[in-house]
Amino acid sequence: MSDQKVHELIIIGSGPAGLTAAIYAARADLKPLLIAGIKFGGQLMDTTLVENYPGFIDGVMGPELMNSMMKQAERFGTEVVYKNADKVDFTGDVKKVYVEDTEYQAKSVILAMGSSPRRLNIPGEQEFYGRGVSTCATCDAAFYRDKIVAVVGGGDSAMEESTFLTKFASKVYVIHRRDEFRASKAMQNRLFENKKIEVIWNAEVTEVVGSEVVTSLKLQDNNGNSLDDITVDGMFLAIGHIPNTQILEGQIELDEQGFIIVKDGRTKTSNEGVFVAGDIKDHVYQQAVTAAGMGCMAAMDVEKWLESKK
Ligand code: NAP
């Protein structure tokens, strides 16, 4: 089934990148079609207070910010489909995006599907997901009041999340696979000063153990020797993100980590007429404000490109 129309622009993804692209494209009268996903808004829907998005002196709740962006995009004429894009076909001049059994067509596409938290892929991780295993301390920390938790990772997220968790938990282990963190010095210092945090260096979690909920973690050191199990009530993963490029296989050039490569240093991908914005391209900054900025850039690049094709 086709919706019988060749749109000027389809945007896939509705985090800050996709929604900012929609606001700009809609205001440029491109009447964009936004494939927002079943759960719109991206990762900020899973956060609480966002204090570093410019313009909000006292911060803003993540879901509130995303709801406002969506309303702003719709106000200027963005058409929204609250479903996931299942497949794309970018081989012809008319780009095709498939949502369930509907084929949507457009002259141009902006890819803004973001990224997802990386998992360890160890026994028990999936089984206890939501019952002690979490990828979002800001969402779940309050469930661990006076409990013992572990955070896995050594980047800024691991520092931030473990420090945040100490507001609730009685003890926080930070388990890192090397003997130094990659996080910024300021964040490391905050962690080292916190008496509730104990770092377990050169160690990896090999299994999440529990019955109804998580009760302990099995660990091994860097040489593969098993260490003593640690008793915990929860494990938080802060080991980076994987770009959501699954539906793009064979259609767009990706780098060795799976992020989309831009061809002009801006927002053009390897496929003419297909542009990119946000975390699906950016593994350095990964901020709401940088994603929004790139959404704006992509919409402006699309507008110019469509104009050049007339
Ligand atoms: P990251 O910097 O990529 O760090 C991921 C960490 O997880 C690394 O320490 C890595 O270990 C570890 N890791 C990766 N895969 C692993 C595995 N399979 N098993 C065990 N450990 C694993 O990710 P991030 O901390 O989410 O930060 C992402 C970006 O967002 C960064 O640019 C960061 O600066 C930014 N950020 C900024 C703030 C802030 O400024 N407030 C807060 C959060 C994030 P290795 O070190 O050994 O590779």
Side-chain angles (χ1 to χ4, degrees):
M1 187 167 65
S2 163
D3 82 336
Q4 304 289 332
K5 184 174 166 188
V6 179
H7 297 265
E8 292 295 300
L9 168 64
I10 292 177
I11 299 165
I12 312 177
S14 61
L19 287 174
T20 305
I23 292 164
Y24 273 75
R27 289 194 76 241
D29 211 22
L30 297 182
K31 300 182 175 55
L33 176 73
L34 176 70
I35 312 294
I38 291 168
K39 184 176 167 255
F40 92 93
Q43 293 185 59
L44 282 193
M45 296 303 270
D46 298 326
T47 60
T48 51
L49 192 65
V50 180
E51 288 189 306
N52 54 9
Y53 200 87
F56 299 90
I57 299 164
D58 300 317
V60 57
M61 298 303 278
E64 188 189 332
L65 180 62
M66 299 322 295
N67 274 313
S68 299
M69 283 194 202
M70 178 59 91
K71 283 190 188 134
Q72 197 177 354
E74 286 182 313
R75 179 185 151 215
F76 293 116
T78 303
E79 188 187 332
V80 186
V81 174
Y82 289 93
K83 288 183 180 172
N84 294 336
D86 299 314
K87 202 170 86 166
V88 297
D89 178 357
F90 296 154
T91 48
D93 281 347
V94 173
K95 314 298 175 196
K96 295 172 181 162
V97 178
Y98 299 89
V99 176
E100 295 173 354
D101 57 355
T102 305
E103 175 190 295
Y104 293 98
Q105 301 185 349
K107 295 177 193 167
S108 65
V109 174
I110 294 175
L111 301 170
M113 293 94 89
S115 61
S116 300
R118 180 178 281 122
R119 304 279 193 95
L120 289 169
N121 299 318
I122 54 170
E125 181 187 38
Q126 184 55 35
E127 187 187 342
F128 290 106
Y129 196 83
R131 292 188 293 137
V133 176
S134 170
T135 53
C136 181
T138 34
C139 319
D140 297 334
F143 299 126
Y144 295 89
R145 193 176 291 280
D146 301 325
K147 298 202 164 162
I148 302 171
V149 296
V151 174
V152 183
D156 284 336
S157 298
M159 306 299 106
E160 199 168 67
E161 305 215 339
S162 50
T163 306
F164 180 69
L165 276 158
T166 59
K167 288 182 185 211
F168 302 92
S170 57
K171 182 178 180 72
V172 178
Y173 292 104
V174 175
I175 302 166
H176 184 39
R177 63 183 177 184
R178 291 190 293 131
D179 62 0
E180 61 178 351
F181 291 135
R182 68 168 61 229
S184 66
K185 285 282 173 269
M187 287 209 185
Q188 290 193 35
N189 289 342
R190 210 171 301 157
L191 178 138
F192 290 135
E193 280 163 14
N194 194 315
K195 300 242 175 327
K196 281 188 177 178
I197 296 178
E198 178 183 336
V199 182
I200 304 178
W201 300 103
N202 296 311
E204 301 201 24
V205 183
T206 54
E207 188 177 341
V208 181
V209 182
S211 49
E212 285 300 300
V213 291
V214 171
T215 53
S216 64
L217 301 177
K218 286 192 188 301
L219 304 180
Q220 70 175 28
D221 69 17
N222 267 343
N223 301 318
N225 302 315
S226 59
L227 300 168
D228 288 344
D229 293 4
I230 53 168
T231 301
V232 296
D233 301 292
M235 175 180 80
F236 288 81
L237 299 176
I239 56 171
H241 288 77
I242 299 174
N244 295 325
T245 47
Q246 297 83 345
I247 62 166
L248 302 176
E249 198 138 312
Q251 306 268 339
I252 292 286
E253 251 183 73
L254 308 175
D255 69 15
E256 64 288 346
Q257 293 178 68
F259 290 87
I260 293 175
I261 295 174
V262 291
K263 286 294 172 185
D264 56 351
R266 292 179 2 196
T267 66
K268 277 188 184 170
T269 70
S270 58
N271 190 305
E272 202 186 348
V274 181
F275 298 76
V276 63
D279 286 6
I280 197 167
K281 181 261 162 204
D282 168 29
H283 48 83
V284 179
Y285 301 103
Q286 299 185 322
Q287 301 299 300
V289 68
T290 50
M294 208 174 159
C296 157
M297 288 159 61
M300 291 176 78
D301 287 347
V302 163
E303 196 189 342
K304 277 210 186 74
W305 182 81
L306 287 170
E307 201 57 43
S308 75
K309 294 286 150 193
K310 279 186 183 161

